[in-house]
Amino acid sequence: MQKRIFSGIQPSGVLHLGNYLGAIKNWVALQEKYDPIFCVVDLHAITVPQKPEELRQKTLEVAKTYLAAGIDPEKSLIFVQSHVPEHAELAWILNTITKIPELERMTQFKDKSKAFRQNLNAGLFNYPVLMAADILLYDANLVPVGEDQLQHVEIARTLARRFNSLFGETFVVPEPFVVKEGMRIMGLDDPKKKMSKSAASEYNYISLTDTPEKIREKIKKAVTDSGKEIRYSADKPAIKNLINIYALLDNAKPKEIVESYHGKGYAEFKKDLAEVVVGFLEPFQEKYNEIEDREVLRILEEGKSKAKKMAGEKMEKVREKVGLL
Ligand code: ATP
Ligand code: LTN
């Protein structure tokens, strides 16, 4: 039997290169060897305030991004989280076996609760439990995510084991799956923080929908380290990050990039990098613009019925184990 993979992205903003290199690019490769499920996690997105009309639009856009990036609906199951109410139901049950200190330890919660202090809601706190429900409902073996999500996958593992020991063997204990270089693409304006769609400045990220002019401008403005040489080293985090982006998009090794820029400066490197990014994003955007909303909705509808069937069968077992009449 093929191993199953499950992953998801929140429709909470425009997707950026970090999302592509840290997540979607790997999904496209993985769908060939595994049994893949990719979800648009809209219930997670509402843990921070969203405008309803925009949320609907962004949900459609994230699904379209999956398709344009190469997720093939013939090979992968694609659906929207809220279309399968079992996610929320299992999350509730898992909440009852989750300990509060386990959630208080989550760095994402700690960070976000600082940013949204005036509006700290229980959903933000329980976020990892819903994510565990997403994964466990489908017996996923592997969860391909960026480094920032490892802690959440760990909670899913803990909850699977705990449920199994309390109520008998029910869930597969999932493993995280991370790709080293794409793990953490850093902000262009601050190489100490990850590239993020909720960053304060648009110069933090390259959005997948940025125009060529915008991309060139953003890369030109990207911060660099002291010195002049193109070196791949931990004490040059800004240039290291740019080399990573270059290498991942150009399917090269960082070492090869460094060698080809021997004796050349930052300006030349950045100019070429901008063209690599533009060269990657142009065909992506072309595909994206060709896909009609109608087609995306049809694929999501099909995904919904398949996912509902799988989740429904699992929940039957869970209800019985827990003792719900
Ligand atoms: P936000 O920054 O607003 O919290 P995000 O940009 O991190 O959002 P998510 O929806 O939380 O986006 O993440 C989607 C996927 O992209 C996850 O698997 C996550 O690990 C990955 N990812 C996000 N940012 C990066 C990054 N900078 N580098 C590598 N992977 C990333
Ligand atoms: N929390 C993740 C998104 C997410 C997810 C999942 C990823 C929700 N449910 C299940 C993998 C598996 C994030 O913020 N990137």
Side-chain angles (χ1 to χ4, degrees):
M1 269 243 298
Q2 266 180 328
K3 284 195 172 172
R4 173 160 300 151
I5 58 177
F6 184 103
S7 199
I9 294 185
Q10 306 180 64
S12 53
V14 277
L15 297 195
H16 51 71
L17 268 186
N19 298 131
Y20 176 75
L21 296 173
I24 306 173
K25 182 175 189 250
N26 305 319
W27 300 357
V28 174
L30 291 169
Q31 71 179 344
E32 304 301 327
K33 273 203 289 177
Y34 296 93
D35 172 16
I37 306 181
F38 301 119
C39 188
V40 184
V41 289
D42 53 351
L43 295 176
H44 277 108
I46 59 171
T47 55
V48 299
Q50 304 289 340
K51 296 201 176 88
E53 228 13 85
E54 280 178 21
L55 178 63
R56 254 188 290 276
Q57 188 57 34
K58 282 185 212 148
T59 302
L60 203 62
E61 284 171 11
V62 171
K64 205 183 269 194
T65 303
Y66 288 180
L67 297 169
I71 302 293
D72 177 355
E74 299 287 321
K75 294 180 184 146
S76 298
L77 176 53
I78 306 172
F79 76 103
V80 176
Q81 186 184 35
S82 66
H83 289 177
V84 183
E86 281 83 355
H87 289 245
E89 185 184 357
L90 180 57
W92 179 257
I93 293 175
L94 293 177
N95 264 323
T96 66
I97 62 161
T98 308
K99 299 177 203 300
I100 287 178
E102 285 171 334
L103 296 177
E104 279 171 340
R105 274 203 294 276
M106 297 291 108
T107 27
Q108 182 173 306
F109 172 70
K110 285 196 260 182
D111 290 350
K112 293 212 171 167
S113 57
K114 267 185 230 137
F116 296 96
R117 187 165 266 152
Q118 296 89 328
N119 187 23
L120 200 51
N121 67 74
L124 205 56
F125 186 61
N126 286 313
Y127 180 111
V129 183
L130 178 60
M131 177 160 160
D134 298 341
I135 298 166
L136 302 187
L137 257 185
Y138 300 92
D139 283 332
N141 306 93
L142 293 173
V143 184
V145 282
E147 188 193 37
D148 58 303
Q149 295 299 315
L150 288 180
Q151 235 190 352
H152 291 163
V153 179
E154 201 46 54
I155 282 254
R157 289 166 58 77
T158 304
L159 294 179
R161 283 201 214 96
R162 189 172 298 153
F163 189 99
N164 289 348
S165 77
L166 286 169
F167 300 104
E169 211 47 44
T170 310
F171 295 120
V172 168
V173 180
E175 304 267 347
F177 185 99
V178 282
V179 173
K180 207 168 131 251
E181 292 85 358
M183 260 165 86
R184 212 169 154 81
I185 300 296
M186 309 312 277
L188 298 183
D189 59 349
D190 180 359
K192 288 189 290 300
K193 289 207 196 111
K194 72 163 191 144
M195 185 177 282
S196 163
K197 52 179 134 72
S198 39
S201 158
E202 66 159 339
Y203 291 97
N204 169 275
Y205 54 81
I206 292 177
S207 141
L208 298 180
T209 52
D210 277 345
T211 60
E213 299 73 52
K214 193 92 225 171
I215 294 167
R216 292 186 186 108
E217 187 200 346
K218 285 183 175 179
I219 292 182
K220 203 166 169 189
K221 280 204 175 181
V223 299
T224 43
D225 308 287
S226 56
K228 287 199 208 83
E229 275 169 81
I230 310 298
R231 267 182 47 214
Y232 190 79
S233 118
D235 63 345
K236 305 274 178 219
I239 204 77
K240 183 177 174 202
N241 185 44
L242 297 180
I243 295 172
N244 275 336
I245 295 175
Y246 197 134
L248 286 164
L249 289 179
D250 211 31
N251 289 318
K253 295 211 165 59
K255 203 169 148 248
E256 294 163 0
I257 313 266
V258 172
E259 278 163 13
S260 65
Y261 283 91
H262 187 73
K264 297 177 185 166
Y266 288 159
E268 191 171 349
F269 170 76
K270 279 181 155 188
K271 214 161 150 251
D272 292 350
L273 172 61
E275 294 320 306
V276 169
V277 176
V278 169
F280 164 73
L281 282 181
E282 265 181 348
F284 165 82
Q285 291 172 1
E286 227 168 83
K287 254 198 233 152
Y288 184 94
N289 293 328
E290 273 170 14
I291 306 172
E292 289 182 29
D293 288 359
R294 231 181 8 178
E295 174 65 359
V296 184
L297 289 170
R298 187 191 63 72
I299 291 166
L300 292 177
E301 198 55 42
E302 215 177 280
K304 170 179 163 178
S305 52
K306 284 190 195 148
K308 250 181 179 307
K309 185 162 177 294
M310 295 165 78
E313 284 167 12
K314 194 77 189 175
M315 274 317 292
E316 276 296 308
K317 292 196 187 122
V318 172
R319 289 184 204 109
E320 195 192 310
K321 298 247 174 163
V322 174
L324 303 179
L325 190 65

